[in-house]
Amino acid sequence: MTAPDTALEPALAAKPQTPFQRFLADFFDSKIATAGLVVLAIILFVAIFAPWISPQNPYDLSKLDIMDGRLEPGTKSMDGKPFLLGTDDQGRDMLSAIFYGLRTSLAVGVTASFCAMILGMTMGLTAAYFGGLVETIIMRIVDIQLSFPSILIALILLAVLGQGVDKIIIALIAVQWAYYARTTRGTALVERRKEYIEAAQCLALGDRRVVFRHLFPNCLPPIIVVNTVLIANAIALEATLSFLGLGLPITEPSLGLLIANGFTYLLSGKYWISFFPGVALLFTIVSINLVGDQLRDVLNPRLQK
Amino acid sequence: MPVYFIRRMMQSVLVLFVMSLLVFVGVFAIGNPIDILISPEADQHEIERATRALGLDKPLWEQYGLFVVNALKGDLGRSFVFNIPAIDLILQRMPATMELAITATFMGVLLGIPLGMWAGLRPESFSGKLIMSGSILGFSLPTFWVGLMLIMIFAVFLGWLPSTGRGQTREFLGVHLSILTWDGLRHLAMPAFNLALFKLSLVIRLARAGTREAILQDYVKFARAKGVSSRRIIGVHVFKNIMIPIVTVLGLELGSTIAFAVVTETVFAWPGMGKLIIDSINLLDRPVIVAYLMVIVFMFIFINLVVDLLYSVLDPRVRISESKG
Amino acid sequence: MTGGSDAPTLVVENLRTHFFTRAGVVKAVDDVSFTVTKGRILGLVGESGSGKSITGFSIIGLVDPPGRVVEGRILFQGRDLASLAENEARKLRGSRIAMIFQDPMMTLNPVLRIDTQMIEAVQAHEPVDRETARQRARDALGKVGIPSPDERLKAYPHQFSGGMRQRVAIATALLHRPELIICDEPTTALDVTIQGQILYEMQKLCRDSGTALIWITHDLSVIAGLADEVCVMYAGRIVEAGTVDEVLDRPLHPYTLGLIGSVPSRNVRGRPLAQIPGMTPSLLSLPPGCAFRTRCERADAACMEAPAITLPLANRPIRCVHPNLAASS
């Protein structure tokens, strides 16, 4: 955000605030968005510190006892510690599995979205700044890609590439870069017409400098908003693909794989193996979307008071 | 209009060609189906014979050329697994998927338009806000998880509905349909609702936004000034105006509904194309993968064209501007 | 205020229509009274935002939330419309009271054919079959000068010109021979020649059928040629009323004086055009006292109090403490 111009905004002069303070005040104006942010903070904390706060290491096979398999939530284990959310078929504590699963899901989603953002922004800025044939080619590819549903593109790529963390991240990047490219180009085209770009060009600054030091920072707010929504989408898509058996390998189970793993037992009434990872996934996606919606409202200059 | 139509056709053919190239190269360049199809004990001779029989010994460009020529003849190769033409396999499974996708679309429209219009007429009411929150959830919940929850509630705990398969089907015009039998309907209900959820949320949003915009228009006020009942204003004046964006979007979404049926079919073991493609990917049955992707891409391009035409039928303004241009 | 032996078609008494917005209460119509008689035309003049359109909507009962009529009586042939149930009001709308809107591009539904929109207007008030209703619609179109009405009935609104659309709207309004028609700037969006034709036809209609007309406009020259009486509105209030001849020949209120002076005319060519300085004040933050005070050259300390209605001349009610009583302008 830019520095406040007290001459233009006399109403704000009454309560001296930095732009960041104003941003925070606007953000916490909505109770539901605040709740979303709190939930998201908890989820992030759990994901980052999973190895230290989990009751057990769910992937240390020596700690697992097959005799503990498929226990209901709240059942006590042999050594007296209760399995709060039950256990899966191998006697793994579901709570620990979910903590680790969140870690994987978030890591994959955030990494993929971040890489897609860098690729998409570069393409979008290039298209907007240079125009002409470059723009036509890039935007035509974007249009064609966006006319196909994300899951189809991911299916094609995974059918081609096979399984693995790197493969699914590549698939997610390929799905998402076009959204970033389109948003960035749209914003950049508006910014490009503004006088500061002309001024920078008049100073005979290099193209790269104009694009990255002048154009890029001014395109950031809408990208940040798109980014939150696309991280949620990436997490949901990864979970879906893992559920279909096309995503992550069994050695690094994300939430989607945990849910798929419990699917068989769901039909016999052992709901917890699928249900609780699903709830964790749901909270993650909804809280990110809530925060994203509020960011959009707060950062949208048209809605600013 | 003809010029526009021809340009659209050529664009579509180009997309089809590029996609076929991408799909073919991608699918055939990586991995070796022989490893999967032939038992590890087979000797060198047997492997060579199988490779030749499947045409895998030829260079890639020749395989692609052959593929295109055959594709134009309607031959997309034989399934490695089922040993029948891939296109036949897909066409066998297509009615199930189409039945699911179309039922889901209708469900989305029939539930979504009334709910969305209700929310649009009463945006500040509790019910209006509840409908909107529901549609936000419908957007953000992953389809497969909702499917699992449906199974958990209606099949496992309540025991009301079956959770897998199509149930009893009846033949109609040479196609087996579940919707024609009571047992089939019971099987169709959950998967169709599951697939409909995203469309439903979309239709609610479109209908709500359209209604809110339409009721502020002068033509609604003029209709009220004419003494027309509010039921007719909402049912005719508002309804016809919001149908234009809804039909457009739903038409375009039919393709993605078919693509997303992959998830629903897997959850509910619905024997359609989607389940087939997932099984084929896991078995590396490449002709089937390629054939499926080509069929889907073709359907997409076709649907986009039809929607463009349908749009001009629905909106008289488009019709006039295009016949002029 | 008016002559004529007939009982008045419409009597509006102390009408107040307020909008309850988040920013505060907007008094769009604030204590407005007037009378319209059979076969006569009342002009309601004012700048945009003066409350003249809201007055029209209040009469026909189409004020949308957050606005509502908070006070006053609207006596239509002796019945108070302000206290009518919605269903009763609907029966009057379109049959006994009709309204024509400003923008003919917007008043017809773009996705419905003309016949649909006219037949529904007939059937809303009379239980006739489609074919009869269609005949009625065709006759009405013919009456307002639309050639080959049978063909035109099957057309969509976008296939008509602006003037033709407004004729369709007028034909629709005339379907049930209403006793009162409220015209909200119906000619503003049209070419001058079309405007002339429509004004002529409306005047003729009014004389012939004895329909009472309220003509809402910002254009004094239209009023001069069309109306019998005129009410000048400013910031939600009527500041001056009287017969058209009297008010235009001898405006008493400084605002009316300014409005008349602002009309470009041949006689003053070469001289700078007169204008009223400043802008219409926001109805949310009206200056205390006379609302016109801040733009008035006669304003003084006495204007700090809201002026009551006075009668400086017979039959010439105005709201001003400094009326222009000099001889004719």
Side-chain angles (χ1 to χ4, degrees), chain A residues 77-219:
Chain A
S77 68
M78 304 292 201
D79 54 9
K81 270 201 293 183
F83 295 114
L84 284 175
L85 301 181
T87 60
D88 72 0
D89 50 335
Q90 293 173 1
R92 187 175 287 137
D93 175 39
M94 281 316 293
L95 186 66
S96 313
I98 288 171
F99 284 1
Y100 276 77
L102 267 176
R103 197 176 156 87
T104 313
S105 284
L106 277 169
V108 170
V110 171
T111 311
S113 281
F114 189 72
C115 295
M117 179 173 83
I118 291 177
L119 177 65
M121 284 189 79
T122 312
M123 295 304 234
L125 282 174
T126 311
Y129 189 76
F130 293 104
L133 188 64
V134 180
E135 183 177 32
T136 311
I137 293 174
I138 292 176
M139 293 324 290
R140 187 48 58 89
I141 296 174
V142 167
D143 284 346
I144 290 177
Q145 194 190 319
L146 289 182
S147 71
F148 290 92
S150 52
I151 193 148
L152 191 63
I153 296 184
L155 272 184
I156 295 175
L157 279 166
L158 290 173
V160 169
L161 298 173
Q163 284 190 351
V165 181
D166 49 342
K167 313 278 176 19
I168 197 153
I169 288 176
I170 290 172
L172 292 175
I173 294 171
V175 165
Q176 295 202 326
W177 76 273
Y179 293 94
Y180 287 106
R182 192 172 59 175
T183 312
T184 311
R185 173 174 165 271
T187 320
L189 280 182
V190 175
E191 292 294 328
R192 207 179 100 99
R193 286 194 210 102
K194 294 192 180 161
E195 284 166 12
Y196 69 91
I197 295 294
E198 209 173 308
Q201 283 170 330
C202 288
L203 290 173
L205 299 179
D207 279 343
R208 192 181 301 175
R209 194 178 160 86
V210 175
V211 171
F212 285 102
R213 296 298 297 274
H214 296 266
L215 199 50
F216 171 79
N218 285 291
C219 296

Side-chain angles (χ1 to χ4, degrees), chain B residues 7 50 61 75 95 106 115 124 144 155 179 182 214 220 227 243 247 256:
Chain B
R7 258 184 60 186
W61 63 268
D75 176 7
F106 271 102
L115 287 173
E124 296 301 321
F144 76 96
I179 203 163
W182 174 241
V220 165
M243 278 315 281
V247 167
S256 90

Side-chain angles (χ1 to χ4, degrees), chain A:
Chain A
M1 299 189 80
T2 50
D5 189 332
T6 42
L8 282 175
E9 296 170 3
L12 290 166
K15 36 176 185 172
Q17 276 183 328
T18 65
F20 185 65
Q21 279 172 330
R22 184 149 41 97
F23 167 77
L24 287 184
D26 282 348
F27 187 92
F28 290 114
D29 211 30
S30 158
K31 276 184 200 132
I32 190 146
T34 312
L37 190 66
V38 170
V39 172
L40 187 59
I42 295 170
I43 288 171
L44 281 175
F45 176 84
V46 166
I48 293 168
F49 296 101
W52 294 278
I53 57 174
S54 296
Q56 62 164 227
N57 180 352
Y59 301 104
D60 181 355
L61 292 177
S62 65
K63 297 270 175 64
L64 300 182
D65 186 342
I66 203 85
M67 297 298 287
D68 286 337
R70 278 168 271 162
L71 293 177
E72 278 192 44
T75 318
K76 283 199 166 59
S77 68
M78 304 292 201
D79 54 9
K81 270 201 293 183
F83 295 114
L84 284 175
L85 301 181
T87 60
D88 72 0
D89 50 335
Q90 293 173 1
R92 187 175 287 137
D93 175 39
M94 281 316 293
L95 186 66
S96 313
I98 288 171
F99 284 1
Y100 276 77
L102 267 176
R103 197 176 156 87
T104 313
S105 284
L106 277 169
V108 170
V110 171
T111 311
S113 281
F114 189 72
C115 295
M117 179 173 83
I118 291 177
L119 177 65
M121 284 189 79
T122 312
M123 295 304 234
L125 282 174
T126 311
Y129 189 76
F130 293 104
L133 188 64
V134 180
E135 183 177 32
T136 311
I137 293 174
I138 292 176
M139 293 324 290
R140 187 48 58 89
I141 296 174
V142 167
D143 284 346
I144 290 177
Q145 194 190 319
L146 289 182
S147 71
F148 290 92
S150 52
I151 193 148
L152 191 63
I153 296 184
L155 272 184
I156 295 175
L157 279 166
L158 290 173
V160 169
L161 298 173
Q163 284 190 351
V165 181
D166 49 342
K167 313 278 176 19
I168 197 153
I169 288 176
I170 290 172
L172 292 175
I173 294 171
V175 165
Q176 295 202 326
W177 76 273
Y179 293 94
Y180 287 106
R182 192 172 59 175
T183 312
T184 311
R185 173 174 165 271
T187 320
L189 280 182
V190 175
E191 292 294 328
R192 207 179 100 99
R193 286 194 210 102
K194 294 192 180 161
E195 284 166 12
Y196 69 91
I197 295 294
E198 209 173 308
Q201 283 170 330
C202 288
L203 290 173
L205 299 179
D207 279 343
R208 192 181 301 175
R209 194 178 160 86
V210 175
V211 171
F212 285 102
R213 296 298 297 274
H214 296 266
L215 199 50
F216 171 79
N218 285 291
C219 296
L220 271 179
I223 301 291
I224 290 169
V225 174
V226 171
N227 188 246
T228 53
V229 176
L230 285 182
I231 287 178
N233 283 358
I235 291 170
L237 187 58
E238 179 274 313
T240 304
L241 293 167
S242 293
F243 174 79
L244 293 174
L246 305 173
L248 293 176
I250 199 82
T251 49
E252 284 160 281
S254 67
L255 293 174
L257 208 62
L258 290 177
I259 297 169
N261 183 31
F263 183 34
T264 343
Y265 305 105
L266 184 72
L267 295 174
S268 52
K270 297 183 172 54
Y271 66 92
W272 58 89
I273 309 178
S274 261
F275 180 74
F276 291 119
V279 172
L281 180 66
L282 173 71
F283 273 100
T284 311
I285 293 169
V286 173
S287 65
I288 295 177
N289 277 330
L290 286 177
V291 172
D293 273 2
Q294 183 68 359
L295 277 180
R296 185 189 58 211
D297 291 349
V298 173
L299 289 179
N300 189 340
R302 278 177 303 168
L303 295 175
Q304 246 165 31
K305 293 153 230 162

Side-chain angles (χ1 to χ4, degrees), chain B residues 98-146:
Chain B
M98 294 306 282
E99 181 179 30
L100 185 62
I102 291 170
T103 312
T105 304
F106 271 102
M107 235 182 215
V109 172
L110 293 181
L111 292 174
I113 290 179
L115 287 173
M117 287 180 81
W118 178 276
L121 293 170
R122 296 169 181 74
E124 296 301 321
S125 70
F126 177 73
S127 54
K129 284 182 177 162
L130 193 71
I131 291 169
M132 274 317 280
S133 317
S135 92
I136 291 170
L137 272 187
F139 265 126
S140 42
L141 297 183
T143 309
F144 76 96
W145 190 72
V146 177

Side-chain angles (χ1 to χ4, degrees), chain B residues 235-278:
Chain B
V236 177
H237 287 262
V238 174
F239 178 76
K240 268 214 109 178
N241 271 283
I242 64 169
M243 278 315 281
I244 294 168
I246 289 177
V247 167
T248 315
V249 171
L250 275 186
L252 291 172
E253 282 279 318
L254 184 61
S256 90
T257 309
I258 293 167
F260 270 96
V262 167
V263 179
T264 300
E265 286 178 11
T266 307
V267 172
F268 292 93
W270 186 264
M273 298 191 294
K275 186 146 180 13
L276 177 70
I277 175 76
I278 297 296

